[in-house]
């Protein structure tokens, strides 16, 4: 069972930046693809970004491409999401998860989630 702990959220003004972190507690961290997801207020949870276990391929939701960047540190079991030029529509609870790269877009494949971290972007 993978345990996930997200942090780094907060409130910023539009145009600001945040760097989210997630500890993925598993002894086989390096074997997992990693992803970030978000749930805007009153909406369904959605895919944001993912990367392979080697970090050689990354995918992004269209609305965040060019503004967000996913990265990982295998020595620390950490995955990060650097968010720049934030917009009010980025307001959401952000979650991370670990799995198979081909299905990281499909939230139904995940059986557990962390508590998430709140990101609020003021206009």
């Amino acid at each position: 069972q993978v345990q996930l702990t997200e942090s780094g959220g907060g409130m910023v003004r539009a145009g600001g930046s945040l760097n989210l972190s997630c500890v993925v507690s598993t002894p086989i961290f390096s074997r997992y693809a990693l992803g970030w997801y978000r749930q805007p207020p009153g909406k369904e949870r959605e895919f944001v970004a993912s990367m392979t276990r080697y970090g050689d391929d990354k995918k992004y939701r269209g609305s965040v491409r060019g503004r967000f960047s996913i990265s990982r540190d295998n020595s620390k079991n950490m995955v990060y999401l650097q968010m720049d030029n934030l917009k009010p529509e980025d307001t959401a609870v952000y979650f991370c998860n670990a799995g198979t790269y081909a299905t990281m877009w499909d939230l139904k494949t995940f059986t557990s989630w962390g508590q998430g971290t709140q990101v609020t972007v003021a206009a």
Side-chain angles (χ1 to χ4, degrees):
Q1 182 83 355
V2 174
Q3 292 189 320
L4 307 151
T5 306
E6 303 90 349
S7 62
M11 181 179 290
V12 297
R13 292 192 179 276
S17 298
L18 284 172
N19 189 25
L20 306 184
S21 300
C22 174
V23 179
V24 183
S25 299
T26 171
I28 55 171
F29 176 84
S30 63
R31 297 185 187 180
Y32 283 109
L34 300 170
W36 283 95
Y37 306 82
R38 67 187 182 186
Q39 187 162 12
K43 297 184 179 180
E44 297 289 316
R45 197 168 300 183
E46 61 190 23
F47 169 84
V48 175
S50 64
M51 67 186 302
T52 64
R53 59 179 182 166
Y54 303 111
D56 58 345
D57 193 36
K58 301 177 181 180
K59 288 185 170 56
Y60 295 94
R61 182 177 194 82
S63 60
V64 308
R65 192 174 292 117
R67 301 188 297 120
F68 290 13
S69 179
I70 186 172
S71 61
R72 65 190 293 161
D73 186 338
N74 286 355
S75 69
K76 297 180 180 178
N77 278 33
M78 298 284 290
V79 57
Y80 305 98
L81 186 69
Q82 176 66 40
M83 305 188 297
D84 297 320
N85 191 21
L86 281 159
K87 302 178 180 181
E89 52 263 42
D90 296 319
T91 294
V93 180
Y94 283 72
F95 303 86
C96 66
N97 223 313
T100 302
Y101 189 55
T103 57
M104 293 300 287
W105 60 270
D106 186 357
L107 277 66
K108 295 190 299 294
T109 64
F110 300 114
T111 58
S112 64
W113 294 88
Q115 293 297 308
T117 186
Q118 175 71 48
V119 171
T120 303
V121 185

